[in-house]
Amino acid sequence: QVQLVESGGGLVQAGGSLRLSCAASGRTFSMYAMGWFRQAPGKEREFVAAISWSGGSTDYVDSVKGRFTISRDNAKNTLYLQMNILKPEDTAVYVCAATQRNLLRRQRLLSTSYDYWGQGTQVTVSS
């Protein structure tokens, strides 16, 4: 079992930056593959980024490649999402997710692959 708590969201102007954090409880954080998803009003939940348990493998949705960076600090039990050059279309509730399952790379993009979810943090980008 792991509990996830996101922080770092807020209101920012287009072109600005934010860093989201996801703090995880438990001593086995390093065993979990992690992901960030987002959901905008009236839209379905969308995959944003994922990272392997070691941090050695990452994946991104095309719309954030080159702007967002996912990382993790297993010693601090924390997952991060650095978001740069933010756009109004990035506005959404961002949620972190975790699983102990050994996922294939294509499975990391699927919300159904994750077992644990945080409550989310709101990111609003003004134009």
Side-chain angles (χ1 to χ4, degrees):
Q1 289 276 347
V2 65
Q3 292 185 330
L4 306 172
V5 179
E6 302 93 338
S7 62
L11 173 64
V12 64
Q13 288 188 333
S17 298
L18 284 174
R19 187 174 83 155
L20 305 184
S21 298
C22 173
S25 65
R27 295 178 292 177
T28 58
F29 176 74
S30 62
M31 297 173 61
Y32 289 82
M34 306 288 295
W36 286 101
F37 289 77
R38 66 186 179 186
Q39 188 163 17
K43 295 188 176 181
E44 293 187 353
R45 181 173 288 178
E46 175 190 34
F47 167 78
V48 177
I51 190 167
S52 63
W53 65 271
S54 67
S57 176
T58 58
D59 296 281
Y60 299 91
V61 66
D62 285 347
S63 60
V64 308
K65 285 180 180 177
R67 300 189 298 122
F68 290 12
T69 302
I70 188 172
S71 63
R72 65 191 298 163
D73 185 337
N74 288 342
K76 294 182 178 180
N77 283 10
T78 304
L79 174 73
Y80 302 101
L81 185 67
Q82 178 66 45
M83 306 186 295
N84 299 326
I85 317 175
L86 282 160
K87 304 176 180 180
E89 51 264 42
D90 294 319
T91 295
V93 174
Y94 284 71
V95 185
C96 65
T99 181
Q100 280 190 308
R101 286 184 271 176
N102 188 18
L103 301 178
L104 296 174
R105 197 149 189 171
R106 56 182 168 84
Q107 292 176 315
R108 294 183 202 168
L109 282 61
L110 305 175
S111 61
T112 52
S113 296
Y114 296 86
D115 302 303
Y116 305 101
W117 294 83
Q119 293 298 310
T121 185
Q122 176 70 46
V123 172
T124 303
V125 185
S126 63
S127 58

